[in-house]
Amino acid sequence: MDWTRLLSVQRFKLDNGCVVPTVTASSEEGAEALRTDFHIDYDRVVFSSGFRRLARKTQVHPFALHDHTHNRLTHSVEVASVGRSLGNRVGVMLAAGNFLPPGSHAADIGAIVQVACLAHDFGNPPFGHTGEDALREWFRDPQHVHYLRELSNAERNDIETYEGNAHSLRLIASLEMYQNAGGMRLTSAVIGALLKYPWTSSAEQGRNKFNIYQTELPFINCVAQELGLPQSGENHWVRHPLSYLMEAADDICYALLDLEDAVELGLLQVDEVEQILSRLTNKEYDWHDYASQGRCARLRGIAIGRAVDDIAHTFIKHHGDLLNGSFRGKDLLALSSPDVNEALNAAKELARTRIFRHQSKLITEIATFPCLGSILGLLVPAVHAFIKTDKLSKRQELALSLLKEQKLSKDDSLYLAYMKVLDFVGGMTDNTAAKLAREVSGIEML
């Protein structure tokens, strides 16, 4: 791989069912454009409906009543900020080493990573990772196998494995802005940086994490070729080097900021968080001059700065391996300095044992399964009947009326029809999903 191709600003659209290049957005604005292509990408993400919906989606604590608790939107903004810092730091070092192609700037690296970070959680369903589990469990239930019987193996794997990362790409490449005509038409560089798992659900590791549904496979084929990403298997590519910076920014934020939320909610004591953060800060400074909330925020800021600096240098240290594709199976955090690696892992472990298993969170997670299950139980049989027969009950006709933006057509394959159901359910906010489940159950009428 080389940076000349990896930083491509080429965009793609869908024309008569074929993926074709389109003009760069900055050239549309004229030679004196005030925005680079990557800034245009940023604006397209920020002004999208998918981005706004993140404000009502769970980060860690569903239906949190505290005003300061993170949701997916605030988390994405913070990850984007850390990603930009990481990218800018790496960009300066790449420029100093004469690795950047003519016409590219150090700040371009920061801008690419920032946009990828901003969009990395677009596809998260209501109730976060528990929502993913609930959607997967419903389709894998033996009672529902007959709905998938006529699908190909690849299509069945997609429907049975709702994956937030793959739905993030689907929103960007198919659903937002130019619907079914190239989506948001972001630059190839940003799409590449977004692909943390550049393979399909049919890959060996695809039953857990993947980025590419069958619906977006032709699009990614073109993007991968444009970027020069080598293939390491069928429908499986080597990661874009900048995707590792996006991943690291996400790791830093959820490791450290989840703890801050837990202090706000009374799940952790300030001293417990300070003990972890102090590993990455100046231990001689008298932080106790500040109130507890201020101490946490100041320690967190210094800790993030230390982690950003360390991981940027780790990226440059492994620059050769990142470009030749031999870095696969690794992550920058695991190869960072012991202080950074151990502190962030300690933060994650504290969150696993003291936050994620707290009863207030467990009860909502348990309720996620019947909540999303009831919505699928209403829609999937109706969709199956619409595509395969001409006989719909009145209830099924009414159910299909819910699919407004995802309206079905008799020309849809059964696979595409199910994808539209997942688009509808996955795009809901926590509040919308909970309200719809109550309403269709008839409980609110009693």
Side-chain angles (χ1 to χ4, degrees), residues 140-156:
R140 293 177 185 178
D141 188 322
Q143 297 181 63
H144 306 140
V145 167
H146 62 284
Y147 292 118
L148 308 182
R149 194 166 290 142
E150 297 179 51
L151 302 182
S152 69
N153 287 336
E155 291 171 342
R156 187 181 304 112

PDB file of all heavy atoms in Angstrom, residues 140-156:
ATOM      1  N   ARG A 140     -31.969 -16.244  14.824  1.00  0.00           N
ATOM      2  CA  ARG A 140     -31.334 -17.558  14.996  1.00  0.00           C
ATOM      3  C   ARG A 140     -32.212 -18.527  15.793  1.00  0.00           C
ATOM      4  O   ARG A 140     -31.888 -19.702  15.915  1.00  0.00           O
ATOM      5  CB  ARG A 140     -29.983 -17.390  15.690  1.00  0.00           C
ATOM      6  CG  ARG A 140     -28.956 -16.647  14.837  1.00  0.00           C
ATOM      7  CD  ARG A 140     -27.644 -16.430  15.569  1.00  0.00           C
ATOM      8  NE  ARG A 140     -26.718 -15.620  14.777  1.00  0.00           N
ATOM      9  CZ  ARG A 140     -25.508 -15.241  15.186  1.00  0.00           C
ATOM     10  NH1 ARG A 140     -25.094 -15.596  16.399  1.00  0.00           N
ATOM     11  NH2 ARG A 140     -24.728 -14.525  14.400  1.00  0.00           N
ATOM     12  N   ASP A 141     -33.320 -18.053  16.328  1.00  0.00           N
ATOM     13  CA  ASP A 141     -34.241 -18.902  17.069  1.00  0.00           C
ATOM     14  C   ASP A 141     -34.791 -19.983  16.134  1.00  0.00           C
ATOM     15  O   ASP A 141     -35.269 -19.669  15.033  1.00  0.00           O
ATOM     16  CB  ASP A 141     -35.389 -18.038  17.608  1.00  0.00           C
ATOM     17  CG  ASP A 141     -36.306 -18.795  18.561  1.00  0.00           C
ATOM     18  OD1 ASP A 141     -36.574 -19.985  18.323  1.00  0.00           O
ATOM     19  OD2 ASP A 141     -36.758 -18.177  19.539  1.00  0.00           O
ATOM     20  N   PRO A 142     -34.713 -21.261  16.510  1.00  0.00           N
ATOM     21  CA  PRO A 142     -35.224 -22.338  15.642  1.00  0.00           C
ATOM     22  C   PRO A 142     -36.662 -22.117  15.186  1.00  0.00           C
ATOM     23  O   PRO A 142     -37.051 -22.579  14.105  1.00  0.00           O
ATOM     24  CB  PRO A 142     -35.108 -23.577  16.535  1.00  0.00           C
ATOM     25  CG  PRO A 142     -33.994 -23.257  17.489  1.00  0.00           C
ATOM     26  CD  PRO A 142     -34.108 -21.785  17.751  1.00  0.00           C
ATOM     27  N   GLN A 143     -37.465 -21.410  15.973  1.00  0.00           N
ATOM     28  CA  GLN A 143     -38.857 -21.152  15.585  1.00  0.00           C
ATOM     29  C   GLN A 143     -38.969 -20.219  14.372  1.00  0.00           C
ATOM     30  O   GLN A 143     -40.025 -20.159  13.725  1.00  0.00           O
ATOM     31  CB  GLN A 143     -39.622 -20.534  16.749  1.00  0.00           C
ATOM     32  CG  GLN A 143     -39.730 -21.425  17.982  1.00  0.00           C
ATOM     33  CD  GLN A 143     -40.538 -20.740  19.074  1.00  0.00           C
ATOM     34  OE1 GLN A 143     -41.717 -20.446  18.904  1.00  0.00           O
ATOM     35  NE2 GLN A 143     -39.894 -20.474  20.195  1.00  0.00           N
ATOM     36  N   HIS A 144     -37.863 -19.500  14.077  1.00  0.00           N
ATOM     37  CA  HIS A 144     -37.915 -18.514  12.996  1.00  0.00           C
ATOM     38  C   HIS A 144     -37.056 -18.905  11.797  1.00  0.00           C
ATOM     39  O   HIS A 144     -36.957 -18.129  10.837  1.00  0.00           O
ATOM     40  CB  HIS A 144     -37.468 -17.144  13.530  1.00  0.00           C
ATOM     41  CG  HIS A 144     -38.233 -16.687  14.724  1.00  0.00           C
ATOM     42  ND1 HIS A 144     -37.639 -16.050  15.801  1.00  0.00           N
ATOM     43  CD2 HIS A 144     -39.555 -16.793  15.037  1.00  0.00           C
ATOM     44  CE1 HIS A 144     -38.559 -15.786  16.712  1.00  0.00           C
ATOM     45  NE2 HIS A 144     -39.730 -16.228  16.271  1.00  0.00           N
ATOM     46  N   VAL A 145     -36.459 -20.086  11.843  1.00  0.00           N
ATOM     47  CA  VAL A 145     -35.553 -20.521  10.777  1.00  0.00           C
ATOM     48  C   VAL A 145     -36.253 -20.548   9.420  1.00  0.00           C
ATOM     49  O   VAL A 145     -35.650 -20.255   8.379  1.00  0.00           O
ATOM     50  CB  VAL A 145     -34.969 -21.914  11.114  1.00  0.00           C
ATOM     51  CG1 VAL A 145     -34.286 -22.531   9.905  1.00  0.00           C
ATOM     52  CG2 VAL A 145     -33.968 -21.798  12.262  1.00  0.00           C
ATOM     53  N   HIS A 146     -37.542 -20.893   9.397  1.00  0.00           N
ATOM     54  CA  HIS A 146     -38.239 -21.037   8.116  1.00  0.00           C
ATOM     55  C   HIS A 146     -38.311 -19.723   7.337  1.00  0.00           C
ATOM     56  O   HIS A 146     -38.450 -19.740   6.106  1.00  0.00           O
ATOM     57  CB  HIS A 146     -39.650 -21.608   8.331  1.00  0.00           C
ATOM     58  CG  HIS A 146     -40.542 -20.730   9.153  1.00  0.00           C
ATOM     59  ND1 HIS A 146     -40.429 -20.633  10.529  1.00  0.00           N
ATOM     60  CD2 HIS A 146     -41.570 -19.906   8.793  1.00  0.00           C
ATOM     61  CE1 HIS A 146     -41.358 -19.798  10.982  1.00  0.00           C
ATOM     62  NE2 HIS A 146     -42.061 -19.342   9.954  1.00  0.00           N
ATOM     63  N   TYR A 147     -38.199 -18.587   8.017  1.00  0.00           N
ATOM     64  CA  TYR A 147     -38.218 -17.318   7.301  1.00  0.00           C
ATOM     65  C   TYR A 147     -36.957 -17.113   6.449  1.00  0.00           C
ATOM     66  O   TYR A 147     -36.967 -16.338   5.490  1.00  0.00           O
ATOM     67  CB  TYR A 147     -38.351 -16.152   8.280  1.00  0.00           C
ATOM     68  CG  TYR A 147     -39.682 -16.092   8.984  1.00  0.00           C
ATOM     69  CD1 TYR A 147     -39.773 -16.203  10.374  1.00  0.00           C
ATOM     70  CD2 TYR A 147     -40.860 -15.935   8.259  1.00  0.00           C
ATOM     71  CE1 TYR A 147     -40.996 -16.142  11.025  1.00  0.00           C
ATOM     72  CE2 TYR A 147     -42.099 -15.879   8.905  1.00  0.00           C
ATOM     73  CZ  TYR A 147     -42.153 -15.990  10.283  1.00  0.00           C
ATOM     74  OH  TYR A 147     -43.371 -15.945  10.909  1.00  0.00           O
ATOM     75  N   LEU A 148     -35.870 -17.800   6.798  1.00  0.00           N
ATOM     76  CA  LEU A 148     -34.589 -17.609   6.120  1.00  0.00           C
ATOM     77  C   LEU A 148     -34.239 -18.753   5.177  1.00  0.00           C
ATOM     78  O   LEU A 148     -33.184 -18.737   4.542  1.00  0.00           O
ATOM     79  CB  LEU A 148     -33.466 -17.461   7.156  1.00  0.00           C
ATOM     80  CG  LEU A 148     -33.673 -16.421   8.266  1.00  0.00           C
ATOM     81  CD1 LEU A 148     -32.465 -16.376   9.177  1.00  0.00           C
ATOM     82  CD2 LEU A 148     -33.938 -15.047   7.670  1.00  0.00           C
ATOM     83  N   ARG A 149     -35.110 -19.731   5.078  1.00  0.00           N
ATOM     84  CA  ARG A 149     -34.790 -20.965   4.374  1.00  0.00           C
ATOM     85  C   ARG A 149     -34.425 -20.731   2.906  1.00  0.00           C
ATOM     86  O   ARG A 149     -33.582 -21.431   2.342  1.00  0.00           O
ATOM     87  CB  ARG A 149     -35.966 -21.935   4.492  1.00  0.00           C
ATOM     88  CG  ARG A 149     -35.658 -23.372   4.106  1.00  0.00           C
ATOM     89  CD  ARG A 149     -36.765 -24.297   4.576  1.00  0.00           C
ATOM     90  NE  ARG A 149     -36.768 -24.434   6.032  1.00  0.00           N
ATOM     91  CZ  ARG A 149     -37.867 -24.519   6.779  1.00  0.00           C
ATOM     92  NH1 ARG A 149     -39.061 -24.464   6.212  1.00  0.00           N
ATOM     93  NH2 ARG A 149     -37.768 -24.654   8.093  1.00  0.00           N
ATOM     94  N   GLU A 150     -35.036 -19.764   2.254  1.00  0.00           N
ATOM     95  CA  GLU A 150     -34.814 -19.552   0.821  1.00  0.00           C
ATOM     96  C   GLU A 150     -33.651 -18.608   0.522  1.00  0.00           C
ATOM     97  O   GLU A 150     -33.372 -18.333  -0.656  1.00  0.00           O
ATOM     98  CB  GLU A 150     -36.095 -19.028   0.183  1.00  0.00           C
ATOM     99  CG  GLU A 150     -37.260 -20.013   0.267  1.00  0.00           C
ATOM    100  CD  GLU A 150     -38.519 -19.449  -0.358  1.00  0.00           C
ATOM    101  OE1 GLU A 150     -38.440 -18.983  -1.507  1.00  0.00           O
ATOM    102  OE2 GLU A 150     -39.574 -19.477   0.302  1.00  0.00           O
ATOM    103  N   LEU A 151     -32.975 -18.133   1.537  1.00  0.00           N
ATOM    104  CA  LEU A 151     -31.832 -17.237   1.317  1.00  0.00           C
ATOM    105  C   LEU A 151     -30.572 -18.042   1.027  1.00  0.00           C
ATOM    106  O   LEU A 151     -30.444 -19.198   1.424  1.00  0.00           O
ATOM    107  CB  LEU A 151     -31.603 -16.363   2.550  1.00  0.00           C
ATOM    108  CG  LEU A 151     -32.757 -15.475   3.024  1.00  0.00           C
ATOM    109  CD1 LEU A 151     -32.306 -14.647   4.224  1.00  0.00           C
ATOM    110  CD2 LEU A 151     -33.263 -14.572   1.910  1.00  0.00           C
ATOM    111  N   SER A 152     -29.606 -17.409   0.350  1.00  0.00           N
ATOM    112  CA  SER A 152     -28.289 -18.030   0.182  1.00  0.00           C
ATOM    113  C   SER A 152     -27.573 -18.023   1.525  1.00  0.00           C
ATOM    114  O   SER A 152     -27.979 -17.323   2.463  1.00  0.00           O
ATOM    115  CB  SER A 152     -27.475 -17.257  -0.850  1.00  0.00           C
ATOM    116  OG  SER A 152     -27.115 -15.978  -0.324  1.00  0.00           O
ATOM    117  N   ASN A 153     -26.501 -18.794   1.628  1.00  0.00           N
ATOM    118  CA  ASN A 153     -25.743 -18.833   2.885  1.00  0.00           C
ATOM    119  C   ASN A 153     -25.229 -17.445   3.261  1.00  0.00           C
ATOM    120  O   ASN A 153     -25.295 -17.048   4.429  1.00  0.00           O
ATOM    121  CB  ASN A 153     -24.577 -19.811   2.768  1.00  0.00           C
ATOM    122  CG  ASN A 153     -25.038 -21.254   2.770  1.00  0.00           C
ATOM    123  OD1 ASN A 153     -26.110 -21.573   3.279  1.00  0.00           O
ATOM    124  ND2 ASN A 153     -24.232 -22.139   2.200  1.00  0.00           N
ATOM    125  N   ALA A 154     -24.712 -16.700   2.278  1.00  0.00           N
ATOM    126  CA  ALA A 154     -24.179 -15.363   2.554  1.00  0.00           C
ATOM    127  C   ALA A 154     -25.277 -14.423   3.022  1.00  0.00           C
ATOM    128  O   ALA A 154     -25.095 -13.638   3.970  1.00  0.00           O
ATOM    129  CB  ALA A 154     -23.494 -14.805   1.312  1.00  0.00           C
ATOM    130  N   GLU A 155     -26.440 -14.514   2.378  1.00  0.00           N
ATOM    131  CA  GLU A 155     -27.563 -13.657   2.772  1.00  0.00           C
ATOM    132  C   GLU A 155     -28.070 -14.032   4.158  1.00  0.00           C
ATOM    133  O   GLU A 155     -28.371 -13.153   4.976  1.00  0.00           O
ATOM    134  CB  GLU A 155     -28.691 -13.795   1.742  1.00  0.00           C
ATOM    135  CG  GLU A 155     -28.364 -13.191   0.391  1.00  0.00           C
ATOM    136  CD  GLU A 155     -29.399 -13.517  -0.674  1.00  0.00           C
ATOM    137  OE1 GLU A 155     -30.181 -14.485  -0.471  1.00  0.00           O
ATOM    138  OE2 GLU A 155     -29.430 -12.817  -1.706  1.00  0.00           O
ATOM    139  N   ARG A 156     -28.146 -15.320   4.438  1.00  0.00           N
ATOM    140  CA  ARG A 156     -28.611 -15.770   5.750  1.00  0.00           C
ATOM    141  C   ARG A 156     -27.657 -15.291   6.844  1.00  0.00           C
ATOM    142  O   ARG A 156     -28.088 -14.843   7.915  1.00  0.00           O
ATOM    143  CB  ARG A 156     -28.734 -17.291   5.778  1.00  0.00           C
ATOM    144  CG  ARG A 156     -29.387 -17.833   7.068  1.00  0.00           C
ATOM    145  CD  ARG A 156     -29.471 -19.345   7.063  1.00  0.00           C
ATOM    146  NE  ARG A 156     -30.193 -19.837   5.892  1.00  0.00           N
ATOM    147  CZ  ARG A 156     -29.625 -20.521   4.902  1.00  0.00           C
ATOM    148  NH1 ARG A 156     -28.328 -20.801   4.947  1.00  0.00           N
ATOM    149  NH2 ARG A 156     -30.345 -20.936   3.878  1.00  0.00           N
TER     150      ARG A 156
END
